[in-house]
Amino acid sequence: KYRNKLRKGGCFVDKELDFYQKLRQKIREWLQTEEGKNTKYAEYLMLAPDLFYLLCKLAFDKDVAVAAKANLAGAIAYFVSPIDLIPEGIVGPVGFLDDIVVSVWVLNGIINNTDPAIISKHWPGDEDLLEIVQQILGVADEMLGAGVFKKIKNMF
């Protein structure tokens, strides 16, 4: 199912697919645990692989502005860094919540200044991306705490 979506637009790299699938599987398995089932923001955690994939594709799209690519590179680096505000290495998959907020914060800025067709050709998810971005930004303070979200906004 996801292999066909990731081929969309002629952009497909096995390494990206492997990371994408491994991350989805890791989160899916964790969400089946007792802790995962009781996580308030479980629905957002399943978006992490799609958001990471989108960040990568936009960073290499020739039609995305260079200034936007700098923020995309920062968001990608934050996503893969083991050292961040909520490290998944310590707290498990719930640690991807800050990575998700960073991703949507950066994407929000890009969505406002980029042709929507460029963004949609790389979005592998089934959900409406603009709606997702608005939902997550609307609950970011609650999800992470106002202090953490403020730090994220200041980084980008």
Side-chain angles (χ1 to χ4, degrees):
K1 175 180 173 182
Y2 296 106
R3 182 176 287 274
N4 290 336
K5 285 186 156 239
L6 293 176
R7 288 183 189 269
K8 188 171 149 182
C11 50
F12 178 84
V13 178
D14 284 333
K15 249 174 38 177
E16 288 168 350
L17 181 61
D18 288 346
F19 177 80
Y20 178 89
Q21 289 176 332
K22 286 177 184 175
L23 183 55
R24 276 192 89 75
Q25 186 62 32
K26 178 181 180 179
I27 293 171
R28 186 179 291 121
E29 288 172 1
W30 181 79
L31 288 172
Q32 293 174 4
T33 67
E34 213 43 51
E35 182 184 6
K37 288 176 187 175
N38 294 319
T39 299
K40 184 176 181 179
Y41 300 106
E43 66 186 282
Y44 297 128
L45 288 172
M46 283 306 297
L47 294 170
D50 292 340
L51 290 168
F52 181 78
Y53 181 84
L54 179 60
L55 294 173
C56 292
K57 289 304 174 187
L58 290 174
F60 290 100
D61 190 304
K62 64 180 177 51
D63 295 320
V64 174
V66 173
K69 288 182 180 191
N71 281 340
L72 287 164
I76 292 166
Y78 187 88
F79 212 110
V80 299
S81 174
I83 301 168
D84 57 20
L85 297 172
I86 306 174
E88 46 278 351
I90 295 172
V91 298
V94 77
F96 284 110
L97 289 175
D98 63 326
D99 302 276
I100 290 167
V101 171
V102 166
S103 299
V104 298
W105 180 253
V106 168
L107 288 169
N108 187 55
I110 293 169
I111 286 169
N112 293 327
N113 299 306
T114 305
D115 178 357
I118 294 169
I119 296 167
S120 67
K121 78 177 178 181
H122 296 302
W123 175 237
D126 293 325
E127 307 85 356
D128 180 283
L129 180 62
L130 183 56
E131 188 176 308
I132 289 168
V133 167
Q134 291 171 344
Q135 283 176 5
I136 293 172
L137 290 177
V139 297
D141 277 335
E142 177 188 326
M143 188 175 1
L144 302 178
V148 174
F149 187 43
K150 184 177 181 181
K151 287 178 184 177
I152 288 172
K153 290 193 274 189
N154 289 336
M155 287 191 298
F156 296 91

